[in-house]
Amino acid sequence: MAKELVVRRSLTIKAPASRVWEILTDPEHTKKYMFGCEVISDWKIGSPLLWKGAKDGVIYVKGNLLALDKEKRFQFTVFDPNSGIEDAPSNYSTVTIELTPGNGSTALSVTQGDFAGMADGKNRFMSTEAGWDIVLPKIKEMAE
């Protein structure tokens, strides 16, 4: 069995969970930190969740919403339809974002994976780690 390849990141943001949630789910905000992409969804469980280029209209990431507890947690699948990798369930990763309020701040944690059994899993894992390391500080800056 391959070693697990799961991205785990967390940080504390000096803002209420409602503000962090707004940054995470409002397309006007997402395009500022998610590489120019607006999040598109009706936020219903099972519905598509798309990351669409704000300027070019290209869908860069697609998936489905798996769970949602407003201002607390959401979970969704993701896949890059432009990667050249087969669009198969085994090549989608699952992202879980959790918000935990406390003392005027919000702890934000992200888990994404497991990349171990996916096509080009090691490279996708490393790319995803690098991506979250860019995105999370921007979310923090925008929320604070």
Side-chain angles (χ1 to χ4, degrees):
M1 184 176 195
K3 181 183 174 193
E4 181 182 75
L5 293 175
V6 176
V7 175
R8 290 181 176 86
R9 295 290 188 268
S10 61
L11 76 164
T12 300
I13 300 172
K14 293 176 187 166
S18 58
R19 175 67 179 154
V20 178
W21 185 264
E22 176 188 343
I23 299 297
L24 291 170
T25 60
D26 183 328
E28 287 302 311
H29 294 304
T30 64
K31 68 183 176 186
K32 295 174 187 169
Y33 68 81
M34 194 57 82
F35 309 102
C37 290
E38 299 172 320
V39 65
I40 309 295
S41 184
D42 65 9
W43 300 104
K44 295 179 180 162
I45 305 301
S47 289
L49 185 75
L50 306 172
W51 298 91
K52 178 178 161 186
K55 294 188 179 182
D56 61 15
V58 172
I59 302 298
Y60 286 98
V61 177
K62 69 178 192 169
N64 290 85
L65 190 62
L66 302 176
L68 179 76
D69 188 359
K70 188 176 180 184
E71 298 181 9
K72 294 180 182 174
R73 177 179 185 270
F74 67 110
Q75 185 177 58
F76 51 96
T77 59
V78 292
F79 176 76
D80 176 356
N82 307 297
S83 66
I85 294 171
E86 181 186 6
D87 187 348
S90 61
N91 287 323
Y92 282 68
S93 65
T94 299
V95 178
T96 303
I97 297 177
E98 296 180 300
L99 304 178
T100 306
N103 295 332
S105 295
T106 302
L108 183 154
S109 68
V110 176
T111 305
Q112 184 173 348
D114 183 359
F115 293 89
M118 295 180 190
D120 199 26
K122 177 105 172 143
N123 286 329
R124 292 171 68 194
F125 168 76
M126 292 187 304
S127 174
T128 299
E129 279 190 314
W132 282 115
D133 288 345
I134 293 168
V135 166
L136 288 175
K138 289 181 181 178
I139 292 171
K140 178 180 173 74
E141 180 182 339
M142 290 174 64
E144 292 180 344

